[in-house]
Structure formats: C-alpha cells, structure tokens
Amino acid sequence: MRIREKRRNQRSMTTKLKIAPLAVALALALALLGSAPSSAQSGMAHRGVSPLIGAWRMTSLEVGTEGNLQPVPYSGQIIFTKSGTMSVQAMNPDANAPDTPYTSNGYEAFYGTVTVDKAARTFVVTVKSSLVRDLIGQRLTRVFKVSGDKLVLTPADPAEGFRVTYKRF
C-alpha cells in the first residue's frame, strides 16, 4: 500500500513541476498583455490614427478621373491597428485583369507602418511588404474621410484616379 501511495505522490509532484513553469509563463504573458493596450493606445493617440483604427470591408472601388469614375468589381479589406500599421488586400474577380502598379493577377496585398494627419485628413503608409515588390519601401499618401461606419479613400495625387469605399466591420 505504501508503494502505491509513494508512486501517486511522485506522479503528483511531477505533474506539479511540469505545470508550475507553464503557470508562471501564462501569468507573465497576461501581465504583459494587460499593459500593452494602454501603451499602444497612447502611441496611436500621438499619431492621430483613432478614427481609422479597426477593420473595414470594401464596398466599392471606382477608377478613372474625377467626375468620370467607373465602378470596378473588387472586394477586399483594410485594417488599421492601434500600434500604427495598416494592411490591405483586394481582389478583382477577373484573374486575367491587367496588372496595375498595385496588383498582380487581379490581386493586391501590402502592409506597412502608417502615420496619420487628422487635421489634413491624410495618412502615409510606408510599405514594408507587398505582393508587388516594386511597392516595398514606397510611401503612399491617401486622403481619407470617415463618416460613421463609412471610410472613403482617394489618392493624394488625383492622377492615380481611384476612390475606394469601405464599411467598418
């Protein structure tokens, strides 16, 4: 009987020894997570990103010159984080659509750091990674307008000729 009890105690102690480091790691992770939002929020408050933070689903894309914008059947999303990054993905259902400076085979995807000027209603994204590698390192300036759950983006340079509308989700 004593041997069984001794083995049970040894297994119990082994289990406790395995769980203890996990508990410490979990407690540390939770402590770090608990402090992260406040520092991230304060960092973004200084950059003025707050009206853009969140995930947005594309509802329309129009291309052409101002006054002559034509709809293009795209779908996609854009995400702005509290930590100052932005990512965008968009797809033309026609995989044979001609490539553009932002797309390959009808698909666009890039992300980077973003700086927002709320007063000017613009942001600049510095592309860190992109499906179209020529975009990497470029600084893209966009004009934005947020109205409720609607976001409209246009290029700072009208020659680029597009307007994209998103809905917050």
Side-chain angles (χ1 to χ4, degrees), residues 96-140:
N96 296 315
D99 289 347
T100 73
Y102 302 101
T103 64
S104 177
N105 298 318
Y107 199 81
E108 173 181 356
F110 68 86
Y111 85 91
T113 56
V114 65
T115 304
V116 175
D117 182 339
K118 279 181 15 178
R121 293 186 315 153
T122 62
F123 67 83
V124 176
V125 61
T126 303
V127 179
K128 300 294 182 190
S129 179
S130 176
L131 174 67
V132 176
R133 294 184 183 267
D134 289 345
L135 288 177
I136 297 171
Q138 288 192 33
R139 293 172 45 88
L140 307 174

Side-chain angles (χ1 to χ4, degrees), residues 7-112:
R7 284 185 188 159
R8 198 175 305 134
N9 287 341
Q10 285 175 339
R11 277 184 286 193
S12 175
M13 186 58 103
T14 301
T15 302
K16 287 177 185 175
L17 289 175
K18 288 179 183 176
I19 292 174
L22 293 174
V24 170
L26 180 58
L28 180 58
L30 289 173
L32 290 173
L33 285 174
S35 65
S38 61
S39 62
Q41 286 172 350
S42 64
M44 287 313 271
H46 294 316
R47 292 189 226 188
V49 176
S50 59
L52 294 172
I53 292 173
W56 303 82
R57 179 181 46 83
M58 183 186 293
T59 57
S60 70
L61 172 66
E62 301 164 289
V63 297
T65 57
E66 189 60 43
N68 190 27
L69 292 168
Q70 302 298 313
V72 180
Y74 262 71
S75 64
Q77 69 178 23
I78 190 166
I79 299 171
F80 294 89
T81 68
K82 291 177 184 177
S83 61
T85 63
M86 185 217 83
S87 65
V88 65
Q89 293 189 46
M91 184 188 79
N92 184 327
D94 179 3
N96 296 315
D99 289 347
T100 73
Y102 302 101
T103 64
S104 177
N105 298 318
Y107 199 81
E108 173 181 356
F110 68 86
Y111 85 91

Side-chain angles (χ1 to χ4, degrees), residues 56-57 146-151 166-169:
W56 303 82
R57 179 181 46 83
V146 176
S147 178
D149 285 341
K150 181 180 175 182
L151 168 64
Y166 295 90
K167 181 178 169 75
R168 188 183 298 273
F169 69 97

Side-chain angles (χ1 to χ4, degrees), residues 141-142 154-161:
T141 303
R142 301 293 180 245
T154 55
D157 177 2
E160 285 188 74

